[in-house]
Amino acid sequence: MNGSGQEDTHRTIEQIARESYGRLVAYLSSHTRDVASAEDALSDALVAALRSWPRDGLPQNPEAWLLTTARRALIDVIRHQQVVLASEPTLLLLKENSAEATLSTEFPDERLKLLFVCAHPAIDPATHTPLMLQTVLGLDAARIAQSFLVSPTTMGQRLVRAKTKIRDGGIQFEIPQERDLPQRLDAVLEAIYAAFGIGWDDMVGIDQRGRDLAEEAIWLARVLLQLMPGEAEVRGLLALMLHCEARRASRRGPDGQYIPLSEQDPKQWSLPLIEEAESHLAEAFKHGRSGRFQLEAAIQSVHAERARSGRIEWQAIVRFYEQLTRISPTLGTRTGYAAAVAEANGPEAALVILDAIHLDVVSGYQPYWAVRAHLLQQLGRTLEALQAYDRATGLAEDPAVREFLLQKRG
């Protein structure tokens, strides 16, 4: 195969790995109950694909090829373990549904089950979401660490400990009983939203990897809703993500420039997605229990009203944020609250909210510095505003966002 053909094959392998990683790891680990070994086996299969597909051509069903190859790698590992007799049940499980059966286009999808497994109460709660992001959605430790404002080394160590806990603790790979679902649901919702957020922030929606991850998160929320149709927060999360996804096309200008929500053209928003989001949100509020995701979706719903009325009811957004900060006083919530207060009540009131947050907490949080810079600029505190803009610009990963902040800085 010539150089161009090899590059095409490598790109295809990368795409398949991105789309199938979570599905394959979930399926393999659901049989072996060993997440780390499943990931190692899949890595071996991907290496084998890079070696053989450029030479032999793409198989008819690439996912099935990877699954079969990874399964064989797992069997080889188990056969060489000293405790062969103890591993015999796993060998039998892996041999079920041989290669011929896996070549069908219908693929077993165990991701939702694996999300609940990763939320097992025996695993450190602080690791639930990172473990789900890596195991189910295939994100590397460095990308996850970036979202949690910790070093890649620290995140990698946490993930290794969690996977060891699953393997050595004999944690069962099964969806918990109905009575146990609420105990794990919050962690599953957090992971799905974190995945959406990473995809949403990835190059501000122009990178296909980010789009794929955001769409995957929405799909998982839909599947979760089928499993738990009576959970208001599941509908709230789905509504929140749909409202955000409805505005994807308006987040960039014709030359790729970043456009903040307040300056976006509502005519570019997807009305079908907004209508679906509103339907889920209305259904969620019928339960009479306003959770974090319902309130965040309600804030986005007020923004969406601009497509109809041409204006934003900032006081309504402030009221929703006040409720949200009481139940979920995260750094992102408090920063968003300050931004809304600035629009409704002026920059001085908003700056009081930001000043109440300890600087050690916000040192690496870019949105805080962007909002702070804007408020200081409005108050005429030019030198402080420039310093905050410099901080925000330095923390921005997206070149278009950096350019936007530089223009605001003046």
Side-chain angles (χ1 to χ4, degrees), residues 218-239:
I218 291 173
W219 183 88
L220 285 169
R222 293 189 191 280
V223 175
L224 185 57
L225 183 59
Q226 293 175 9
L227 177 69
M228 307 176 72
E231 286 291 339
E233 275 292 80
V234 178
R235 289 190 183 275
L237 173 59
L238 182 54

Side-chain angles (χ1 to χ4, degrees), residues 316-332:
I317 291 178
V318 167
R319 287 193 294 271
F320 283 128
Y321 263 120
E322 287 172 347
Q323 296 180 60
L324 187 57
T325 53
R326 283 196 290 269
I327 65 174
S328 180
T330 65
L331 183 53

